Amino acid sequence: MLLPGTLFLIALAFTFYVDCTSNVSVQKSRIWGPGLHADFLVPVRYFYVQLVNKDGSNVTESVGEDAITVSVVSGDGSPSRIWSQVLDRHDGSYIVRYRLYSTTSGLQISVHFKGRHIAGSPYRIAGNIYHDTCDCPHQTVEQWAQFVGCPATYSQIREDLEIFKDLDMTKVAKEAVERYNRDGQHSLCHYKIVENKVYRKCYGQHVGFNMFGDAILLSLTRKMLFPNFEFFLNLGDWPLVTRKQNPLPVFSWCGSKQTFDIVLPTYDITEATLEMMGRVSLDLFSTQANTGPNWANKSNTAFWRGRDSRRERLDLVEMSLKNPDLIDARLTNMFFFPKNPEKFGELVKQVSFFDFFKHKYQLNIDGTVAAYRFPYLLAGDSVVFKQDSDYYEHFYRELTPYVHYIPIKHDLSDVIEKIKWARENDEEVHQIAKNGQHYARAHLTPADILCYHVRVFQHYASLIKKGTKGIKEFDLVNNPDDRDKCNCPKKKVTKHTEL
């Protein structure tokens, strides 16, 4: 039996829902985004919906997860395998994403609000729409970049590549193998793109992470025609090429102030991009739909969970045990340091990442290298306290302290002070959280992650003066089996040996 107070709250919520939805204008509401175009070739296509009130103002609160419905079907009515999903960002806007599991002849996309078409719905997309595992490259690299809307370059790419020119890959390969082919210490792969096929030769004892290099290169070469080029990919956590050594062009998923490595988006965010709506549940879009309570209803304690991969993480846990009213930090696993329950507390169960956002303040502390959770923390509706670090990901240069995040010292000596400051300056801190979220929404989308890979490979390839000969000792990296026909264009796009 429901208590009278409960009935009142239910009635109040229903009244609020009716008031919000009745004021929405389906004609004034907006739909936009790259997923409404045939040439937007990414694993998962997407677009956005912004609900607008009858007076022309944006709706700024959720009107319900089921208020928006979407239908994505083939344009000619033939059977198709398409999975679509609507994600409520809880601010009046929605992400609509869909993944094709077979190529279709055109698409019809219908977007409804309470059964009524929104804006220009239904949208009709002409031509063949290719599914992601379709090996049907029919655009040049630059054509793909133009269709997707990639920036011409990135500041991190310019900095990483400015020390290299006229690369003789025979010399690079000889020195890289001599320097880093050491079992148990380093692992790396020599990749070659030849006639748009992916080949590799790996060195080292632990080379399982070549699956991440394979995946991104296969995905890109299925979509566009690359020139012949080659590069070395570091498969370890730590950047390889120290600044005390002769610089070598080695790609890594993380950079540091002490190394020359060329930075790629991390394998984590890249896999989340390629496997979105597949075997990965945590990605930049799903995070935006699971940001927890609104700001006013979040806990004002600083939150962290993780393993003991850095001394500062243990220091944070000790700090939390002494200041539980300010910090909730616990270890979920210990691999690197001896267990000491009296000092570090008992290990706790892992928490769903989305539950992190029940708290206003998120602590981002380095692990073995940069903490790869940072992009997802930015995308949530909390403010990130980021540890000062020598390590960085591909996008860090674009962020500004106190604009996109709150900086904390490397030794965490100012964490308590910064948390107290945040509590006393709630409005300013909320704006920093919004800025970080806006950056992630605008610059860490699936298209952005692919764009960065394309641009860094494009600019790097232009620096190669002489390549190594042959692929005799290299393994061909095969695409996954694809049971569906692609209906590739008969007319071939001319490939180029240079970009």
Side-chain angles (χ1 to χ4, degrees):
M1 181 176 179
L2 294 175
L3 296 175
T6 305
L7 290 171
F8 172 76
L9 290 174
I10 292 175
L12 185 65
F14 179 75
T15 301
F16 174 78
Y17 171 77
V18 171
D19 288 344
C20 284
T21 58
S22 62
N23 195 40
V24 171
S25 168
V26 294
Q27 292 82 14
K28 293 181 179 180
S29 294
R30 300 190 301 276
I31 296 177
W32 76 99
L36 299 175
H37 304 282
D39 289 313
F40 183 60
L41 303 178
V42 295
V44 170
R45 300 161 191 252
Y46 54 90
F47 58 91
Y48 304 95
V49 179
Q50 173 65 59
L51 295 181
V52 176
N53 290 313
K54 293 176 181 177
D55 64 2
S57 62
N58 286 348
V59 175
T60 58
E61 296 183 355
S62 173
V63 297
E65 294 183 1
D66 299 327
I68 302 290
T69 57
V70 171
S71 169
V72 183
V73 298
S74 64
D76 60 4
S78 60
S80 57
R81 296 188 296 129
I82 306 170
W83 179 27
S84 61
Q85 189 178 35
V86 179
L87 299 175
D88 182 1
R89 299 205 283 191
H90 306 286
D91 61 359
S93 69
Y94 295 77
I95 300 169
V96 179
R97 60 182 180 178
Y98 61 97
R99 188 173 194 122
L100 279 71
Y101 294 91
S102 61
T103 294
T104 69
S105 178
L107 285 177
Q108 178 172 300
I109 301 176
S110 300
V111 186
H112 296 93
F113 174 75
K114 298 179 67 176
R116 294 176 293 166
H117 283 288
I118 302 175
S121 174
Y123 296 89
R124 293 178 175 83
I125 304 175
N128 284 337
I129 315 296
Y130 301 100
H131 58 289
D132 186 55
T133 54
C134 179
D135 185 12
C136 192
H138 59 282
Q139 297 176 348
T140 66
V141 171
E142 193 57 39
Q143 284 173 337
W144 181 91
Q146 292 293 327
F147 282 128
V148 172
C150 299
T153 188
Y154 297 83
S155 59
Q156 187 63 59
I157 294 176
R158 289 196 299 270
E159 179 177 310
D160 287 346
L161 296 182
E162 66 181 1
I163 60 174
F164 301 112
K165 63 178 181 178
D166 297 333
L167 293 172
D168 183 337
M169 292 306 298
T170 301
K171 294 181 180 179
V172 169
K174 182 177 183 296
E175 187 169 352
V177 172
E178 289 177 352
R179 192 185 297 184
Y180 301 119
N181 184 21
R182 299 176 183 176
D183 285 353
Q185 294 187 40
H186 308 298
S187 297
L188 71 163
C189 287
H190 185 180
Y191 279 97
K192 285 190 173 187
I193 310 300
V194 180
E195 296 300 308
N196 226 51
K197 299 295 183 182
V198 179
Y199 299 85
R200 61 166 156 74
K201 182 179 182 180
C202 295
Y203 303 87
Q205 184 177 357
H206 305 288
V207 297
F209 272 28
N210 61 24
M211 65 180 183
F212 298 114
D214 296 352
I216 183 62
L217 290 171
L218 290 175
S219 181
L220 294 177
T221 54
R222 289 195 300 266
K223 297 171 178 61
M224 66 198 84
L225 293 159
F226 273 89
N228 294 345
F229 76 103
E230 59 190 292
F231 67 97
F232 279 85
L233 175 64
N234 167 29
L235 302 180
D237 286 333
W238 291 274
L240 284 183
V241 189
T242 69
R243 291 185 180 266
K244 297 179 181 179
Q245 299 171 304
N246 178 44
L248 282 177
V250 175
F251 286 78
S252 291
W253 291 301
C254 180
S256 81
K257 296 175 183 177
Q258 284 76 42
T259 56
F260 286 119
D261 296 51
I262 303 166
V263 181
L264 290 174
T266 68
Y267 61 81
D268 184 277
I269 198 169
T270 302
E271 183 184 39
T273 296
L274 300 180
E275 297 296 331
M276 182 180 287
M277 298 183 76
R279 58 186 175 84
V280 170
S281 59
L282 177 64
D283 58 63
L284 262 292
F285 284 167
S286 64
T287 301
Q288 293 176 46
N290 292 275
T291 55
N294 62 35
W295 182 263
N297 293 325
K298 293 180 186 291
S299 160
N300 64 351
T301 55
F303 189 80
W304 181 86
R305 290 290 186 273
R307 62 177 184 166
D308 64 329
S309 47
R310 183 165 291 273
R311 177 69 233 185
E312 290 82 28
R313 292 186 169 196
L314 301 183
D315 296 339
L316 179 66
V317 171
E318 287 189 78
M319 203 180 302
S320 172
L321 294 173
K322 295 176 183 177
N323 301 273
D325 59 321
L326 295 173
I327 305 172
D328 181 357
R330 296 291 185 273
L331 292 166
T332 56
N333 284 296
M334 293 193 75
F335 300 105
F336 301 93
F337 294 88
K339 292 183 180 179
N340 188 337
E342 291 186 3
K343 194 173 184 180
F344 307 125
E346 297 289 347
L347 299 182
V348 300
K349 293 182 178 179
Q350 292 185 348
V351 176
S352 166
F353 189 82
F354 299 145
D355 286 340
F356 282 33
F357 299 116
K358 293 178 180 178
H359 308 271
K360 287 183 179 180
Y361 314 138
Q362 304 296 326
L363 294 160
N364 191 70
I365 312 298
D366 279 356
T368 51
V369 286
Y372 291 172
R373 69 182 71 181
F374 189 34
Y376 309 104
L377 293 178
L378 286 174
D381 189 25
S382 300
V383 71
V384 182
F385 289 69
K386 184 189 176 303
Q387 179 190 27
D388 182 45
S389 172
D390 286 346
Y391 295 110
Y392 53 84
E393 297 178 56
H394 75 281
F395 63 93
Y396 283 17
R397 287 175 60 90
E398 298 180 348
L399 302 178
T400 304
Y402 292 109
V403 175
H404 301 103
Y405 64 90
I406 297 173
I408 53 178
K409 293 180 180 179
H410 184 77
D411 65 3
L412 310 186
S413 60
D414 62 344
V415 167
I416 298 296
E417 173 192 342
K418 291 291 179 65
I419 294 172
K420 290 180 178 178
W421 173 82
R423 287 183 171 184
E424 294 170 358
N425 296 272
D426 190 68
E427 187 174 341
E428 180 179 351
V429 170
H430 190 195
Q431 185 59 53
I432 295 172
K434 290 180 179 178
N435 294 342
Q437 184 183 62
H438 178 75
Y439 175 85
R441 289 183 175 188
H443 300 289
L444 297 176
T445 66
D448 290 306
I449 301 305
L450 297 186
C451 280
Y452 196 95
H453 282 93
V454 166
R455 288 308 194 196
V456 72
F457 290 146
Q458 185 180 32
H459 292 306
Y460 164 80
S462 69
L463 300 174
I464 298 176
K465 182 179 181 180
K466 180 182 179 182
T468 58
K469 295 182 178 180
I471 52 175
K472 185 177 180 180
E473 297 180 354
F474 285 68
D475 296 322
L476 172 66
V477 183
N478 291 306
N479 272 299
D481 292 335
D482 187 4
R483 69 181 188 182
D484 294 288
K485 294 182 179 180
C486 291
N487 298 320
C488 296
K490 293 181 180 180
K491 185 177 179 180
K492 299 282 187 180
V493 177
T494 302
K495 286 185 279 188
H496 303 281
T497 56
E498 296 181 346
L499 281 169

